[in-house]
Amino acid sequence: MPKLLDFPIIVINFKTYLESLGDRGMRIAKDAESVSNETGVCICVAPQFTDIKSIANAVSIPVFAQHVDPYPPGSYTGSISVEAIKDAGAIGSILNHSEKKLQLASIFAAVKMLKNAGMFSLVCAEDVEPAMAVAALSPTMLAVEPPELIGTGIPVSKARPEIVSESVQRIRSINREIKILCGAGITRGDDVRRAIELGSDGVLLASGVVKAKDPRAVIKEMAEAVLSSR
Ligand code: G3P
C-alpha cells in the first residue's frame, strides 16, 4: 500500500451538507490539513463531487470521492467514473455507503477498477455479516456503520461496541491486510479513542465535524485521541 495513508486514520465524509459545500468545504479541508500537519495524524476528506478538484489542488492531505460508479469511460450519462475522480485529484473512493448502496457485484467491480487505477477503496457495510461479504472483495479499508446511528451523535463505539470488536475479530481472521474503520455518531475525541481501543484502525465520520460550531476544534480533539492511543 502506498504510504499516502497511515493508521489509525480519520476520514471525514462531507456528504451533501450545506456546511461542507464550496468555500465552507474548503475551510474544513484546510482545518483538517492543518491539524494533520500539527499532529502527524492521517486525516482524509471526502468532499462533494463538485469540490474535489479545488480541494485536492489546495490541500496536501488525502482526498477521497464519496462514491464511484463501476463503469468505464463512455456512454454512461450521469455516472462518475474512476478516471474522473482520479483526474480531479482523489486518491480513492468511498463505496456502498448506506446512503448510496451498491450491489455486491458493483462493489467488486469498483474495488477492482480503483485498484487497477492505483487508487484506494473504502467500502462501507451496515453490520458484521455484510462486512464479511465485503471483506472477500479485499478493499483497502472497510467501514462498519450501523445506519440507525448515522447522524444521531450516538457513537457506534459506545452504543454498539460489539459490532466493532466482532467485525475486527472476524475480518482479521480471514484477511489481515484490510484496514477496519467504524462510523456513525462519532462526534468526540473520546468516541475515537474507544473505537481504537475496540481494535479498529480508525473512524469514518461526517456530521460531528461538518455541523460542528468549530470543526477545527473537533478535528483536533479527535487527532489528539488518535495520538494518545498510539
Ligand atoms: O460516512 C460517515 C457517516 O455515515 C457517519 O455519519 O454523521 O453519524 O458521523 P455521522
Side-chain angles (χ1 to χ4, degrees):
M1 184 185 302
K3 283 217 173 87
L4 288 162
L5 302 179
D6 192 26
F7 300 89
I9 199 168
I10 297 171
V11 183
I12 307 169
N13 176 4
F14 288 8
K15 302 199 174 180
T16 59
Y17 288 119
L18 282 178
E19 291 87 342
S20 67
L21 182 62
D23 290 347
R24 298 170 84 181
M26 180 67 81
R27 182 68 266 147
I28 297 171
K30 292 260 186 193
D31 285 343
E33 179 188 46
S34 82
V35 172
S36 180
N37 288 340
E38 207 173 295
T39 59
V41 173
C42 185
I43 305 173
C44 306
V45 289
Q48 305 194 27
F49 282 116
T50 45
D51 294 325
I52 290 179
K53 194 163 200 153
S54 55
I55 288 178
N57 280 336
V59 298
S60 54
I61 55 173
V63 173
F64 275 63
Q66 297 178 18
H67 164 83
V68 74
D69 290 303
Y71 308 130
S75 48
Y76 297 94
T77 304
S79 300
I80 306 283
S81 68
V82 167
E83 287 75 8
I85 61 165
K86 187 174 186 178
D87 181 68
I91 63 158
S93 183
I94 295 171
L95 290 167
N96 195 44
H97 192 281
S98 61
E99 294 152 9
K100 192 75 180 169
K101 292 184 82 167
L102 290 167
Q103 299 288 330
L104 202 59
S106 297
I107 306 171
F108 180 65
V111 166
K112 209 166 150 192
M113 291 170 90
L114 286 165
K115 207 173 279 179
N116 290 342
M119 300 173 78
F120 299 106
S121 50
L122 196 184
V123 182
C124 300
E126 296 184 355
D127 210 332
V128 182
E129 292 308 327
M132 292 299 287
V134 163
L137 312 179
S138 292
T140 319
M141 295 176 271
L142 196 165
V144 187
E145 293 201 332
E148 71 277 9
L149 295 178
I150 290 178
T152 62
I154 302 168
V156 60
S157 50
K158 291 184 176 164
R160 300 273 317 270
E162 77 293 344
I163 199 179
V164 183
S165 49
E166 199 184 327
S167 300
V168 167
Q169 190 203 340
R170 289 185 58 193
I171 293 164
R172 294 239 165 92
S173 72
I174 57 163
N175 188 333
R176 300 196 67 81
E177 295 294 306
I178 302 172
K179 299 295 181 184
I180 304 158
L181 316 189
C182 64
I186 303 283
T187 48
R188 309 292 312 259
D190 200 49
D191 308 338
V192 175
R193 189 173 302 109
R194 189 74 194 115
I196 297 169
E197 280 167 6
L198 291 166
S200 76
D201 298 298
V203 290
L204 171 62
L205 63 112
S207 54
V209 164
V210 171
K211 292 182 82 72
K213 273 210 181 88
D214 183 351
R216 192 183 191 283
V218 179
I219 300 169
K220 181 88 187 290
E221 186 182 306
M222 291 180 173
E224 279 167 355
V226 169
L227 284 184
S228 72
S229 64
R230 268 182 184 164

